[in-house]
Amino acid sequence: MIEERFDAIVVGAGMAGNAAALTMAKRGLKVLQIERGEYPGSKNVQGAILYADMLEKLVPNFREDAPLERHLVEQRFWIMDERAHTGLHYRSDDFNEEKPNRYTIIRAQFDRWFSSKVREAGAIVLCETTVKELVKDAYGKVIGVLTDREGGQVHADVVVLAEGVNGLLGTRAELRDRPTPDNVALAVKEMHFLPRETIEARFNLKGDEGVVIEAAGTISRGMTGMGFIYANKESVSLGIGCLVADFQKTGETPYDLLERFKKHPSVAPLIEGSEVKEYAGHLIPEGGYNAIPKLFGDGWVVVGDAAQLNNAMHREGSNLAMTSGRLAGEAIFQIKSRKDPMTAANLALYKKMIDDSFVIKDLKKYKDMPGLLHIQSQNFFLTYPQLVSKALQNFVRVDGTPKAEKEKLTLKSFVAARSWTGLFGDAIRFARAWR
């Protein structure tokens, strides 16, 4: 194993880990990044959304060679029942700009590219290596890691934990608690391959334009969860995820949810005739602000999914991951520049920097929403989608029934399902959680 001492060791080569390693390596720090996969991204087959603003802060000219799929010009949100969807969508030609704001990507390709930038900056990236535990001194300060390689102990001034939501290093070292089932979602995803022209015709796209569809409703069978569809160049990323606690409670399986989602009348035509080449499961942090663990300590910081930094309401994760990794790297560089030790008191700078960023401000805004949606999942993901669908079908169906009578029937159905008290209570609770 490597005998030299490093300024920093980064565990993990996802969005957050690459951002942290790149930030420090570009500033001249001696960085070792350890990844258990065959190569960075080898365990990430799913599609994802990339937020340009956050990546530009790390790689300003990334558009020149990054493996981007499509730039997003349209966002759709569907509220679904068994046979229909109620849609809200926004599309603008403004997004066909010189430097688009969002892109679809395939993580296996993108993470590998991102890691190449880390290497170019001077960091050592060690793959196919598992970190078994953190190494501490007699006073409990983290001073390195123990890997599964021969002579596998490596020392550093600080360790950046970017091991993902289900990483065990931090929990084994008692730096943070293991995430509870109601704070983690299990998503299952497939890649459906189609000719490029077929995708563009079905999604009303041209050139490198892209669209994202996010869906909620009866597709999650009353559990807290969502489905998604991303249009890539020659594939469609499709998946659905729900809280692990809900899977445990209901006995539903992720695979069955995905199969029903694919067969929905609104979804099936989009992927008809496709070839499925990849299938994977992935854990996603969903606890929000109230689930964020301690972010720093003597000789360590935690970033990205491992820190529960995911905005479930806006389905944003990669931007929070990259930002937290970058800020951790900047904080470590500042401490190192002052020749100060990597104590908890000094690494608190990372906490201050992330508290001042959009990351914590956005998560704090929605801090009560995860709990509300979990407690009221039957209403928000089953009852209301069904009521909305029936109301809109009643509105558009012309059958000779007077409009006033239609409106009374619609109102009566809402009151019968939830009561006046329930309707007003749900509205007030949702508004309070949203603000």
Side-chain angles (χ1 to χ4, degrees):
M1 196 60 193
I2 301 172
E3 295 183 0
E4 62 184 301
R5 182 181 180 87
F6 292 87
D7 294 319
I9 294 174
V10 179
V11 181
M15 291 288 196
N18 283 331
L22 179 61
T23 299
M24 293 185 288
K26 287 175 67 175
R27 287 161 174 75
L29 298 190
K30 186 184 294 185
V31 178
L32 172 65
Q33 186 177 30
I34 302 176
E35 163 61 31
R36 64 188 177 93
E38 181 182 354
Y39 57 85
S42 62
K43 298 182 180 297
N44 256 330
V45 302
Q46 76 268 20
I49 298 176
L50 174 72
Y51 302 88
D53 181 72
M54 290 71 195
L55 184 56
E56 279 181 318
K57 290 180 171 63
L58 296 159
V59 187
N61 61 343
F62 75 91
R63 293 179 180 86
E64 294 179 3
D65 61 349
L68 307 173
E69 289 292 306
R70 294 180 178 273
H71 68 273
L72 296 177
V73 298
E74 184 174 350
Q75 180 87 29
R76 304 180 195 174
F77 183 78
W78 289 355
I79 301 175
M80 308 180 79
D81 72 354
E82 289 77 6
R83 296 187 55 78
H85 77 265
T86 302
L88 172 68
H89 74 266
Y90 178 75
R91 182 182 182 121
S92 175
D93 196 50
D94 288 347
F95 292 127
N96 282 315
E97 53 202 337
E98 182 181 354
K99 294 184 176 182
N101 179 250
R102 297 186 302 161
Y103 297 86
T104 57
I105 58 172
I106 297 173
R107 285 290 302 273
Q109 300 171 8
F110 182 84
D111 288 5
R112 201 168 191 173
W113 169 87
F114 204 175
S115 179
S116 72
K117 299 302 177 183
V118 174
R119 286 189 175 93
E120 289 174 11
I124 296 175
V125 181
L126 192 63
C127 296
E128 297 184 282
T129 303
T130 300
V131 177
K132 298 166 64 177
E133 62 183 62
L134 297 175
V135 178
K136 298 181 180 179
D137 65 15
Y139 302 98
K141 182 179 185 293
V142 173
I143 58 172
V145 300
L146 177 66
T147 74
D148 60 353
R149 296 203 174 198
E150 184 179 352
Q153 203 170 109
V154 192
H155 295 104
D157 294 335
V158 63
V159 175
V160 179
L161 295 171
E163 53 180 341
V165 65
N166 59 331
L168 297 177
L169 279 179
T171 55
R172 285 174 179 167
E174 299 182 344
L175 305 182
R176 55 189 171 92
D177 294 330
R178 189 168 188 174
T180 58
D182 57 340
N183 285 332
V184 179
L186 174 59
V188 287
K189 313 173 183 186
E190 289 181 344
M191 294 289 285
H192 290 253
F193 288 81
L194 287 163
R196 179 172 183 145
E197 58 271 18
T198 301
I199 292 174
E200 291 170 1
R202 291 180 181 179
F203 289 91
N204 189 27
L205 304 171
K206 64 179 187 294
D208 287 334
E209 291 178 340
V211 60
V212 167
I213 302 172
E214 295 174 333
T218 62
I219 55 170
S220 63
R221 310 282 286 185
M223 299 185 290
T224 306
M226 291 189 69
F228 62 86
I229 302 170
Y230 304 154
N232 303 313
K233 287 180 179 177
E234 296 181 338
S235 66
V236 175
S237 301
L238 180 148
I240 188 169
C242 295
L243 288 180
V244 172
D246 286 344
F247 282 125
Q248 293 175 335
K249 180 180 178 181
T250 63
E252 294 279 355
T253 66
Y255 180 78
D256 286 341
L257 287 186
L258 182 61
E259 286 299 302
R260 283 194 289 265
F261 184 42
K262 292 192 300 182
K263 293 175 181 177
H264 191 280
S266 298
V267 177
L270 297 176
I271 57 173
E272 183 180 359
S274 64
E275 181 181 4
V276 181
K277 294 185 178 180
E278 296 172 349
Y279 172 89
H282 182 61
L283 289 174
I284 303 171
E286 295 283 336
Y289 180 81
N290 293 327
I292 296 174
K294 186 176 181 181
L295 297 177
F296 65 96
D298 282 331
W300 63 273
V301 297
V302 60
V303 297
D305 284 3
Q308 285 277 335
L309 300 178
N310 179 61
N311 187 334
M313 290 309 301
H314 287 264
R315 315 311 302 168
E316 295 177 12
S318 65
N319 56 337
L320 278 70
M322 287 188 288
T323 300
S324 65
R326 176 178 60 83
L327 293 178
E330 290 178 356
I332 291 168
F333 173 72
Q334 287 188 35
I335 296 167
K336 191 72 176 177
S337 298
R338 298 196 300 260
K339 298 183 179 180
D340 289 335
M342 296 294 170
T343 60
N346 288 328
L347 287 169
L349 174 62
Y350 162 54
K351 176 70 163 54
K352 180 182 185 306
M353 292 170 71
I354 203 167
D355 282 349
D356 290 341
S357 74
F358 78 93
V359 174
I360 299 301
K361 291 177 180 178
D362 284 355
L363 292 177
K364 193 171 185 178
K365 169 178 165 56
Y366 301 113
K367 63 183 177 64
D368 296 324
M369 191 62 78
L372 173 65
L373 294 180
H374 183 40
I375 294 171
Q376 296 281 343
S377 63
Q378 286 286 321
N379 292 325
F380 287 120
F381 293 93
L382 196 63
T383 303
Y384 282 120
Q386 292 172 333
L387 290 171
V388 168
S389 180
K390 290 177 182 177
L392 287 170
Q393 183 168 143
N394 194 31
F395 180 80
V396 300
R397 185 181 288 276
V398 179
D399 56 8
T401 305
K403 306 304 182 188
E405 186 175 333
K406 282 176 171 281
E407 292 173 3
K408 289 180 181 178
L409 288 171
T410 295
L411 181 59
K412 185 177 179 180
S413 68
F414 273 78
V415 175
R418 289 296 295 140
S419 79
W420 283 111
T421 301
L423 291 170
F424 281 115
D426 291 343
I428 291 171
R429 283 188 289 269
F430 191 88
R432 285 176 174 171
W434 185 267
R435 67 180 177 84

